[in-house]
Amino acid sequence: MASVFCFGSGVCTGFLEWFGNLGIFFWQVLKAVVTPPYEWRELIRQMDEVGSKSLPLVALAGAAVGVVLSMETRESMTRFGAKSLLPSAIVFAVIQEMGPIITGLVVSGRVGAGIGAELASMKVTEQIDAIEASAINPYRLLAATRILACILMLPLLTVAADAGGLLMGWVAQTLAEPISLHHFINTGFSGATLRDFLPPTFKTAVFGLIIGLVACFQGMRTRGGAEGVGRAATNSVVLASLFVILADVVLVKLILVVFH
Amino acid sequence: MATAYDIAMEQAEIKQDGGAPVVAVENLQKAFETQKVLNGMSLSVSRGETLAVLGRSGTGKSVLLRLIIGLDQPDSGSIRINGQEIVGLALDGMGEIRKKMGFLFQQAALYDSLTIAQNVAFPLERHRGEMSRSERGDRVEQLLAEVGMEGDLDKMPSDISGGMKKRVGLARALALEPEILLLDEPTAGLDPISSGEIDDLILKLQRERQMASIVVTHDLHSARTIANRLALLDQGNVVIAGSFEDLERSEIKFVKEFLK
Ligand SMILES: Nc1ncnc2c1ncn2[C@@H]1O[C@H](COP(=O)(O)OP(=O)(O)OP(=O)(O)O)[C@@H](O)[C@H]1O
Ligand SMILES: [Mg+2]
């Protein structure tokens, strides 16, 4: 019966095995997180690492999306005679979907590759074994701190992407047809509630979990020297981006059902 | 009430304990996929004893050390540290045992994001929280001086030579004053003078602290100097174990060839 769903049993068992190992890894990390000692210092260092390194990228990507969105929406809205809805359209599009997903993807690339490569090179040079040999739980010191940092920083980075997107969305508007930022924001947010904006922003914490978990998992299971390190970095990025997009589908539906 | 008989029994037990092996490996089997590496190996080390492990490249000496500190699990057999079975022990259970062990990796496995001094300070920060910063600094300097590395405290591991890394790794392994020392080729890549200094250090530790050591080495001269007992491995088993003279007297062809 299972073969109906699997085109090749090799691919299928490989896939199931990967998920099984990911689950075991996640369980190890969870166990380490809830028991002392807590790694506050390393957590703060990782939050800084994730936050400060991704902030300019995320804001820039958000800004670019804001401009594009602004130009294209203007075109279509004008054609259908709904130009007065333009600010709202941009605000909702940026905050509800573009900001979160852009942040998720940019961080998947920047942080996913970073964590994947860092942990992989520590693994192949036996540094992770050395941590374990000094009676320190590497899941707690290395994985838990990085995953938590991603979970905590993603919503903040999303706010930065949103801000960049709205600001440049407004700039693009006002270049085409002058409108004050104040007026743009006021009309854009009129009729909107926190319920519209908070869930999409906080759903990125789930993206953070996915990125951190996948990158740490890929890094810490690496084998095979320098080549393995490269592979771990690539796989971290590819799998993290893929799962972020897939999770987005589920989360959007979930938010629609729960909050509307 | 404790009778004279009880006390005598207790003392006898303590005496027996003192002579009991600190590390006892029995019938150890380990294979990687189809390749059998350890094939029913048994050996033991007592307090104040240094065992030199010899053997051709690829016979499983490093694998043996990794099994003893629990970084890998054997397929079967038993490993007892101070009488406690560690095969199958989870990460948390190994913690207390590992605090009593010092481990030097074959490639040193220094943390490459930390300086030399921070590498040696790492176990102290983790497990000697009661130490003040200046006490720790002094201890680190003293440890590095013992291995002849007092001049390079603030260098990064990537900026020192292979032999220097080995010495820093040894200083790190000694940081917690372990009862059991596991060294994977401590003098490989060192000049005769540095090598002699490391040998002297190991002898001193054995004398002063009654440390039990297992030292993997290709250096017959060093093995002869530091070890009370030598074990020669081949094809996953101990071919012969005994004093250097025992090995020299042996009629086994492999032993003769090895010592030639
Ligand atoms: N993780 C692993 N996966 C597969 N095979 C391994 C692994 N670790 C070790 N081996 C194999 O086990 C054998 C013994 O390796 P080990 O590193 O213990 O040799 P060694 O005796 O330390 O050699 P050397 O003196 O060169 O350091 C080798 O054939 C090696 O290929
Ligand atoms: Mg080796």
Side-chain angles (χ1 to χ4, degrees):
Chain A
M1 195 48 205
S3 63
V4 177
F5 301 106
C6 301
F7 35 91
S9 67
V11 177
C12 190
T13 50
F15 185 71
L16 288 178
E17 198 184 323
W18 187 86
F19 259 102
N21 288 330
L22 183 72
I24 294 168
F25 181 80
F26 190 36
W27 175 239
Q28 292 274 15
V29 173
L30 272 184
K31 271 199 307 193
V33 162
V34 297
T35 49
Y38 304 107
E39 301 284 349
W40 296 115
R41 225 165 27 136
E42 180 67 9
L43 175 63
I44 290 174
R45 205 173 72 81
Q46 289 304 327
M47 284 171 69
D48 179 50
E49 191 89 342
V50 173
S52 58
K53 285 212 173 128
S54 319
L55 184 68
L57 279 178
V58 161
L60 190 68
V65 168
V67 172
V68 172
L69 209 63
S70 187
M71 294 191 300
E72 284 185 341
T73 333
R74 179 168 198 86
E75 168 73 23
S76 46
M77 289 278 194
T78 313
R79 196 184 310 161
F80 299 117
K83 221 164 72 176
S84 62
L85 290 178
L86 246 172
S88 296
I90 294 171
V91 165
F92 272 77
V94 165
I95 297 183
Q96 285 201 319
E97 188 49 37
M98 297 318 283
I101 193 73
I102 285 293
T103 308
L105 292 177
V106 168
V107 176
S108 289
R110 178 69 189 79
V111 176
I115 293 177
E118 184 195 12
L119 294 188
S121 83
M122 287 183 78
K123 169 75 198 218
V124 301
T125 54
E126 294 183 309
Q127 290 175 59
I128 295 184
D129 291 329
I131 290 177
E132 202 181 322
S134 346
I136 294 156
N137 183 339
Y139 294 100
R140 181 180 293 130
L141 179 66
L142 300 176
T145 50
R146 281 166 177 76
I147 295 171
L148 272 178
C150 288
I151 293 176
L152 295 172
M153 291 318 284
L154 254 265
L156 288 178
L157 289 168
T158 304
V159 171
D162 292 349
L166 292 184
L167 191 69
M168 289 314 286
W170 165 72
V171 169
Q173 283 302 312
T174 199
L175 285 179
E177 187 180 315
I179 169 174
S180 79
L181 178 61
H182 185 74
H183 186 225
F184 177 80
I185 296 290
N186 265 351
T187 46
F189 279 92
S190 65
T193 64
L194 282 183
R195 258 200 341 196
D196 294 317
F197 298 141
L198 287 187
T201 306
F202 282 105
K203 82 178 173 191
T204 57
V206 178
F207 297 170
L209 171 67
I210 291 171
I211 296 166
L213 185 64
V214 168
C216 288
F217 175 62
Q218 289 294 343
M220 286 178 76
R221 76 202 287 257
T222 305
R223 283 182 191 284
E227 196 195 332
V229 175
R231 217 167 18 208
T234 313
N235 286 345
S236 300
V237 176
V238 171
L239 293 171
S241 333
L242 183 69
F243 287 127
V244 161
I245 295 177
L246 293 179
D248 195 34
V249 177
V250 178
L251 287 168
V252 167
K253 180 69 196 165
L254 201 69
I255 288 171
L256 286 175
V257 171
V258 175
F259 291 94
H260 293 272
Chain B
M1 214 185 78
T3 62
Y5 175 78
D6 285 337
I7 293 167
M9 280 307 285
E10 222 167 75
Q11 275 168 350
E13 251 167 54
I14 291 167
K15 235 189 211 150
Q16 224 171 31
D17 241 27
V22 180
V23 179
V25 167
E26 248 166 67
N27 206 7
L28 214 54
Q29 305 237 8
K30 176 75 183 173
F32 291 102
E33 271 133 45
T34 54
Q35 182 198 359
K36 274 195 177 161
V37 178
L38 300 188
N39 210 346
M41 182 176 297
S42 302
L43 47 83
S44 68
V45 192
S46 311
R47 235 167 100 76
E49 186 183 37
T50 301
L51 173 74
V53 175
L54 308 167
R56 301 187 60 178
S57 176
T59 39
K61 302 182 296 294
S62 299
V63 168
L64 173 68
L65 288 194
R66 288 176 60 87
L67 290 172
I68 293 175
I69 201 165
L71 289 171
D72 289 319
Q73 287 293 327
D75 301 329
S76 69
S78 135
I79 302 168
R80 276 187 310 251
I81 308 289
N82 284 327
Q84 187 184 353
E85 179 64 57
I86 64 152
V87 172
L89 218 56
L91 198 56
D92 300 324
M94 274 311 287
E96 284 310 311
I97 295 169
R98 283 177 175 150
K99 282 183 202 165
K100 299 192 189 114
M101 301 170 104
F103 196 101
L104 170 62
F105 286 82
Q106 191 165 2
Q107 311 293 339
L110 301 182
Y111 308 123
D112 48 32
S113 59
L114 304 180
T115 65
I116 302 308
Q118 286 168 339
N119 261 280
V120 180
F122 185 81
L124 294 171
E125 280 169 13
R126 294 286 157 164
H127 301 305
R128 296 282 185 277
E130 71 280 3
M131 259 185 168
S132 74
R133 186 183 282 263
S134 69
E135 279 173 338
R136 196 160 59 220
D138 292 346
R139 177 89 179 111
V140 168
E141 270 179 41
Q142 179 206 341
L143 283 161
L144 283 170
E146 275 183 345
V147 295
M149 287 290 300
E150 58 273 49
D152 305 289
L153 263 62
D154 296 319
K155 282 196 179 158
M156 299 306 283
S158 52
D159 300 332
I160 61 174
S161 73
M164 290 159 97
K165 282 184 195 161
K166 272 319 243 301
R167 286 186 278 161
V168 176
L170 179 58
R172 185 178 66 183
L174 294 173
L176 296 178
E177 306 194 323
E179 286 171 26
I180 302 163
L181 201 52
L182 306 173
L183 306 179
D184 202 341
E185 301 190 19
T187 55
L190 290 185
D191 60 279
I193 296 175
S194 307
S195 229
E197 285 169 5
I198 297 294
D199 287 347
D200 289 344
L201 176 63
I202 296 171
L203 277 173
K204 191 183 105 183
L205 292 167
Q206 179 197 346
R207 240 187 355 255
E208 291 178 2
R209 290 205 219 133
Q210 292 291 302
M211 217 178 254
S213 315
I214 301 180
V215 181
V216 168
T217 184
H218 286 299
D219 181 347
L220 284 176
H221 175 74
S222 153
R224 185 175 195 166
T225 317
I226 59 174
N228 315 78
R229 225 151 36 91
L230 297 89
L232 179 58
L233 311 189
D234 190 39
Q235 311 204 333
N237 239 316
V238 179
V239 180
I240 183 171
S243 67
F244 196 84
E245 288 67 35
D246 292 340
L247 265 66
E248 269 182 330
R249 276 196 297 267
S250 164
E251 291 298 320
I252 304 170
K253 190 159 158 272
F254 178 74
V255 182
K256 284 189 153 172
E257 264 172 29
F258 198 90
L259 294 184
K260 210 157 46 190

